[in-house]
Amino acid sequence: MNFIVTDRDAASVRTDYEIRFVIDDDIEASGDKEILTLMGFEKGSVCDLPNSRRLYVSIKDTAPETLRIAISKVIKALGNHNIKSIKVPRISSPASSVGGTTTAIQEIEAALSAIAESFVLSSYSFDEYKKESKPCNIEEVYVSVTGCDRVSAEAALKRGKVIAEATNFVRDIVNEVPQVYTPERMAADAQKLAETYYSVKCETKGKDYLKEQNMNAFLAVNQAGPHEPQLIHLTYQPRGDSEKVICFVGKGLTYDSGGLSLKPSNSMYTMKSDKSGAAAAMGIIKAAAELELPYEIHAVLGATENMVGSGAYKPDDVIRSRSGVSIEVNNTDAEGRLVLCDCLSWAQDEIKPDYLIDLATLTGACVVGLGDYTAGVIGNNYDFQVEFKKKAGLSGENYTVLEFNDHLRPLIDSKIADVRNSVPGGMGGALTAGLFLDKFIKDDYKDKWLHLDIAGPAFGSDAWGYNPAGGTGAGVRGCIYWMLNR
Ligand code: BES
Ligand code: ZN
Ligand code: ZN
């Protein structure tokens, strides 16, 4: 999909179709008042006028997220059409800001990025296994702008397109089926990123290395699966001096059956999505390389299956983790934290980052608490949590800060080991999972670490906004926006 900035008056650009925004239900200035009235056009509605090749969308304002949702409605409404080119309404600074000022220009750029993002995100579909697919045919999107020069406008559109394409790359990984998408396949995809971008390097390590490193918690989860576990390390090196070193650690369970604490079949279904954290970390590296971000960025992915078999790890096992902390396993379905704890301790020792952020579909409790559309932001540094929530939230992703308290801490105490991997009863499960991870965060890193529980937004049984049913690519846009706006 190409985004073209045109200097010409919108009326003189010929495209297959035209989008028109109506703020609220104010159709006076639309030029199609009569027909829109006849069609019962009202707040929140979309009206397709095929004869005049116009699609009207009611919006409440021109905030970036409003525009993303509006474009998703456009793509949905035009789903069956064979439209190749389309033009969007002229973008100018909102009435609330003074034209030409830095804020006004930033607002225009944010709007342009959002429009490009939503075109690319909303037209995504995963058709790998369908005989008939209905891809979106739009090839050219014409955009006209007032109050922002062409070079900046093109850069903003490009930025939006890159971020959305990285998100779609992650959606493809998450949607790919578990018999195909194994830990080895994840390692191969990571290698491919390094072959594609000169600024990205990749190292992958298997079982022998994990043994050498005493990553016994990670290894325990892998015990019953037929596939070699993979510790995957991607590094993006910026061209100039890097301002900061940022490390993303991703939970890469290519399948989570629950292990011997077997999931009921209706909860097991969709657990191919348990690799979403690792997939998001790969998408972040891809976007960072294309955007040439000024940070040294690492992605550390722990990839394995959690399966059943005679060699499986068991409830009652006690494992000595890489950091030396002993873990009593009381539930083999709380496996993500076991993979992550070893990866987090590896990342602190080997990478020594300024910021350490893990992404994981870690707990059902987080979904119960926050719903399907919101990720939890957990950690020890409240200011960092709030800053992340605010800046990542500019992407349109929803983040909520969840806070530890000292009464929760003893819940993960074990009678036989230093810590247990789950809390019977499960109350406060998103936070107690966070507290488990915190046991593996060294004092120097306490303030630098965030845990993002993306169990809700990473995968949807139904489409929502510009997210399709299935993998959404949650975490990519939030983390990139956080870095862009730091
Ligand atoms: N992968 C699941 C969490 C999950 C649940 C992700 C629903 C997406 C949707 C995780 O490994 C898990 O099973 N967690 C357990 C933890 C419990 C045993 C303490 C859970 O949430 O039930
Ligand atoms: Zn599990
Ligand atoms: Zn899991």
Side-chain angles (χ1 to χ4, degrees), residues 257-273:
S257 70
L260 291 179
S261 312
L262 196 64
K263 284 182 185 293
S265 55
N266 58 348
S267 319
M268 199 186 297
Y269 177 57
T270 73
M271 277 302 134
K272 66 173 184 180
S273 67

Side-chain angles (χ1 to χ4, degrees), residues 342-361:
D342 277 348
C343 291
L344 283 166
S345 71
W346 187 87
Q348 290 166 81
D349 293 343
E350 297 292 319
I351 298 168
K352 303 183 176 61
D354 296 301
Y355 297 98
L356 176 62
I357 300 181
D358 72 74
L359 298 122
T361 46

Side-chain angles (χ1 to χ4, degrees), residues 251 253 256 258 261 263 267 270-271 273-274 306 330-337 360-367 421-423 426 429 432-433 453-456 459:
K251 171 178 173 181
L253 264 288
D256 179 13
S261 312
K263 284 182 185 293
S267 319
T270 73
M271 277 302 134
S273 67
D274 218 17
N306 183 24
N330 58 354
N331 192 320
T332 63
D333 196 13
E335 84 300 335
R337 62 198 77 180
T361 46
L362 206 63
T363 66
C366 200
V367 193
N421 80 327
S422 84
V423 179
T432 54
D453 193 332
I454 57 169
F459 195 88

Side-chain angles (χ1 to χ4, degrees), residues 85-153:
S85 61
I86 196 163
K87 60 183 163 190
V88 297
R90 178 173 289 274
I91 302 299
S92 51
S93 52
S96 57
S97 66
V98 184
T101 61
T102 320
T103 3
I105 294 168
Q106 281 169 350
E107 278 173 348
I108 295 170
E109 289 174 354
L112 293 171
S113 288
I115 287 172
E117 270 168 37
S118 189
F119 266 103
V120 175
L121 291 171
S122 305
S123 52
Y124 173 86
S125 63
F126 183 75
D127 299 324
E128 197 66 30
Y129 298 100
K130 285 195 162 163
K131 195 186 283 170
E132 275 172 41
S133 61
K134 275 191 195 152
C136 172
N137 293 305
I138 298 173
E139 285 164 10
E140 287 174 340
V141 179
Y142 286 83
V143 184
S144 53
V145 202
T146 311
C148 165
D149 64 86
R150 172 189 278 269
V151 175
S152 310

Side-chain angles (χ1 to χ4, degrees), residues 4 16 26 32 46 60 64 99 141 147 153 217 245 259 264 285 287 292 294 328 342 358 387 425 428 446 448 467 485:
I4 300 148
D16 291 343
D26 181 16
D32 284 302
V46 175
K60 65 177 192 300
V141 179
V245 178
I285 295 287
E292 302 190 15
E328 177 192 7
D342 277 348
D358 72 74
E387 186 228 7
K446 291 284 184 204
K448 302 173 179 171
N467 291 292
N485 292 287

